[in-house]
Amino acid sequence: MKTKPQASTGMVATSSKFVIVTALLMLPALTLSGQTMVAEKTDRPGEATLQPSGERPQIRIEKRSRAYWRVTFDNPPFNIFGPETIPQMEKIVAEIENDPHLRVVVFDSAVPGFFLTHYNFTPPLAVSTSLPAGSTGLHPLPDMLVRISKAPVVSIALIRGRATGVGSELALASDMRFASREKAILSQWEVGAGFVPGGGPMARLPRLMGRGRALEVLLGSDDIDGELAEAYGYVNRSFADEKLDPFVDALATRISGFDRQAIADTKHLVDFASLPSDPEIGAGWNAFISSVQRPIAQKNIGRLMEMGLQKNPDIEARLGYYTETLAEK
């Protein structure tokens, strides 16, 4: 069934279609986990503590100062982003938007080899269907990405390891991206599996690297290392791995000392010239929902799951290679 880009009020129904389709797509190959987690945060600079919870949270906030936070994804073994992550991330995005002292947030990972990867479909269907649309009217995932881009706070993605699907889309939604030359891998793998990416890369990538390179990344569905990502404009800069953290920390610390209103006003004006509109992001999400229902997409995802997607470290680490095996010869 084809869908057309809708106004924001139509996205709640769209969200429900998505979770139903993806659940039907994945259930034959998966077991249900039923995990529920609570986002973690800290109240004192330089310290990270867990909130009381029966389950381990997937995200940590370290408040290095009132003006500078680190948001760390910590969901081993692969930092997969799923419906159980969305409420945690929503709380963090709301804090980023509303904290009057915050100036800079850096997104990073505590999981070796993985910054943030693709969507997880293993939790029970109710975990996803119970999620309301976000404040933009979009499904919660693209909603949060849009809000991160428009927040009056500078967002920086520190990419070490694989940023695939949602991870790439979070990086693209951030104001700046810095990557490990040796250890960063970025990819939008979805076309290789027969469906359209849903988190807005079609709207964001051409603005960063031009139409031709954006199409190469999206249609090639291959892995992009840190050096090539820098050359293409996928990231601001790539660094030798040992120099990545010192650079990002120094830049974030520097910006965090500047006037908050001047930062917010300048970013807002840059947004006019550079950000895609909410309808553009919504159109991509609708295209994803339509395309993922196609038999070829269902077949290809099923084949990847049989190979070991979400279970086998080699599949997750070399997703570009395994996606290529799906191609017709």
Side-chain angles (χ1 to χ4, degrees), residues 8-9 30 34 40 52 55 90 96 104 115 202 208-210 220 246 252 272 311 328-329:
S8 62
T9 54
L30 297 172
E40 173 188 3
E55 300 289 347
E90 161 61 33
I96 290 170
V104 182
F115 171 72
M202 293 80 69
L208 290 174
M209 61 177 70
F272 280 128
K311 297 177 182 178
E328 296 180 1
K329 302 298 184 182

Side-chain angles (χ1 to χ4, degrees), residues 5 109 212 248 324:
S109 168
V248 171
E324 186 176 9

Side-chain angles (χ1 to χ4, degrees), residues 33-39 50-58 88:
S33 66
Q35 294 181 335
T36 302
M37 299 184 181
V38 179
L50 295 177
Q51 290 183 338
S53 174
E55 300 289 347
R56 187 178 185 276
Q58 296 184 7
Q88 300 179 41

Side-chain angles (χ1 to χ4, degrees), residues 72-84:
T72 301
F73 296 99
D74 189 7
N75 183 30
F78 307 127
N79 261 349
I80 291 173
F81 188 103
E84 72 281 4

Side-chain angles (χ1 to χ4, degrees), residues 146-160:
V146 165
R147 288 161 58 198
I148 288 168
S149 295
K150 295 181 179 179
V153 172
V154 177
S155 53
I156 299 174
L158 187 161
I159 306 168
R160 174 180 286 109

Side-chain angles (χ1 to χ4, degrees), residues 209-228:
M209 61 177 70
R211 182 175 183 270
R213 286 175 171 174
L215 287 171
E216 179 186 344
V217 170
L218 291 163
L219 302 184
S221 302
D222 206 354
D223 295 340
I224 306 294
D225 63 25
E227 185 174 6
L228 182 59

